[in-house]
Amino acid sequence: MERHVGKRLRIPCGVISSPIHVQDFPIGYKPFLAYEGTNQVADLVYNSFTLGMEDHLLEIFGGHDTKEVITKGMSADSDMNWTKDAQAELNKVPGFVRGKIKRNTEKFARERSLSEITVEVMYAAKEAVGA
Amino acid sequence: MKLAYWMYAGPAHIGTLRISSSFKNVHAIMHAPIGDDYFNVMRSMLERDRNFTPVTISSVDRNVLARGSQEKVVDNITRKDAEEHPDLIVLTPTCTSSILQEDLGNFVQRAQLDAKGDVMLADVNHYRYNELQAADRTLQQIVQYYIAKAKKKGELPIGKTANPSVNLIGISSLGFHNQHDCIELKRLMAELGIEVNAVIPEGASVHELKNLPQAWFNLVPYREIGLMSAQFLQEEFGMPFVDITPMGVVETARCIRKIQTTLNAQGANVDYESFIENQTLYVSQAAWFSRSIDCQNLTGKKAVVFGDNTHAAAMTKILAREMGIHVVMAGTYCKYDEKWFREQVSEYCDEVLISDDNGAIADAIARHRTLCHFWHTDGTPCG
């Protein structure tokens, strides 16, 4: 339960006790008692805190959700001019294929010496690859 | 109004089932309505046990409500006895079926007339006890039963083992990292030159229980399960027990020193000081780590600890004494054993929280967060 509280409050959390969860039955050797236990506990504590620091880095660099970052990166090395409507249309495309569609559309436009990509150009590019 | 119950420790019958199904060749019959039988799911999907869970539900349904369940329960016990030949069948009610106030003790006596194995009613008050208390009690009940049986037959062993030996009491199914702890404890005992006489209940046969008294002492690593059995064996045979949880460098050393005292009081001549020193300084990475610059990054950071008595108390001590972390709050959901927890942690934390109300616990964590500059929590249970 407190793990979820931790998530909500953005507090890192290590699990040290039941109530049990499937993750509390690791396949690897993870005792809590005796001397190997001291090592495991030290790792658990230290890793929880380290992740706490990484958490700040994640905020600075835009989080785990990298779709936004990829889109930005793609447009930075593109010399094509996308109209507002076309950009909006592109953003509707699911993130995992967005980059590919953008590259293919730009390739299509370049081959036809089009300097501006409109929604019409996008549909034409789509037609051209038979999709 | 509190809406969520059994969030931390489960209801009593779960504790009884954890003990019965930890033993080898022991079957449990639950006198329960369908729906109270999620224990099988916990064993197969959480613990991922490779064997079938030896638990059968004798369901409380409309027929039972109309004419009582004696016939059905007795049939179920004798059928399981014939089918699987268990050494012992434990009958347990649940909170729900307790409402029927049927005389389960009488059912057990009836079933015992036909059954070849032993039949026992788990003697637990389902309205007063939770999972952990019930587990502790059921383990003691089974130990007591087989000690009494052996005594009657004159089968109790005479004297102690030739070399120092120990019973590890309280290792159980669905316990937090219990299997790994057990391996580590066996390793520790081997390094101390102590033979492991028995591990109960996990993987033990009830027939071995009569041999418990031949060990030099009992080790109870967890506060929640095993203490009642160790106390029984102390009263019955004068067997000493060590109940210091060997978790963290300091407490592990304290546990080993207590073992040393216990063995030497019985005529052994052991000195574990050099072992402790060697382990602490050179083998365990934790002591070295806590002196390192990496760990100094943790100094002054703040934490909340929450969990069962054993782990929350041990973690509070480790964070405060071994890692220089400021524990602003230490808490447990073992309300029934509050006094012990306060004694253990009071000097190592600013505030103690005893609660099993997840909303109140969440509020307490949030309150501390707003008070703290750097906030990190560690050691919270999950769910």
Side-chain angles (χ1 to χ4, degrees), chain B residues 71-83:
Chain B
E71 206 182 320
K72 188 171 184 177
V73 170
V74 172
D75 279 356
N76 277 323
I77 294 173
T78 49
R79 179 173 59 84
K80 272 294 153 191
D81 179 71
E83 280 173 7

Side-chain angles (χ1 to χ4, degrees), chain B residues 41-61:
Chain B
V41 184
M42 289 169 71
R43 282 262 300 190
S44 59
M45 296 185 74
L46 289 182
E47 190 160 30
R48 293 175 284 193
D49 199 279
R50 65 171 74 204
N51 300 311
F52 279 114
T53 303
V55 175
T56 299
I57 182 167
S58 180
S59 65
V60 174
D61 55 19

Side-chain angles (χ1 to χ4, degrees), chain A residues 62-73:
Chain A
H64 276 302
D65 186 0
T66 53
K67 276 176 219 159
E68 199 61 32
V69 179
I70 287 170
T71 313
K72 278 180 197 154

Side-chain angles (χ1 to χ4, degrees), chain B residues 150-199:
Chain B
K151 206 178 198 176
K152 206 170 158 190
K153 287 187 179 172
E155 287 178 349
L156 284 179
I158 298 158
K160 300 287 175 189
T161 57
N163 298 317
S165 57
V166 62
N167 299 318
L168 304 178
I169 301 184
I171 312 291
S172 94
S173 172
L174 290 170
F176 186 78
H177 290 245
N178 271 203
Q179 296 101 321
H180 299 162
D181 283 350
C182 184
I183 296 169
E184 192 60 22
L185 287 175
K186 283 179 177 170
R187 197 165 91 177
L188 178 65
M189 292 305 128
E191 284 170 335
L192 297 176
I194 299 169
E195 288 167 9
V196 176
N197 181 59
V199 176

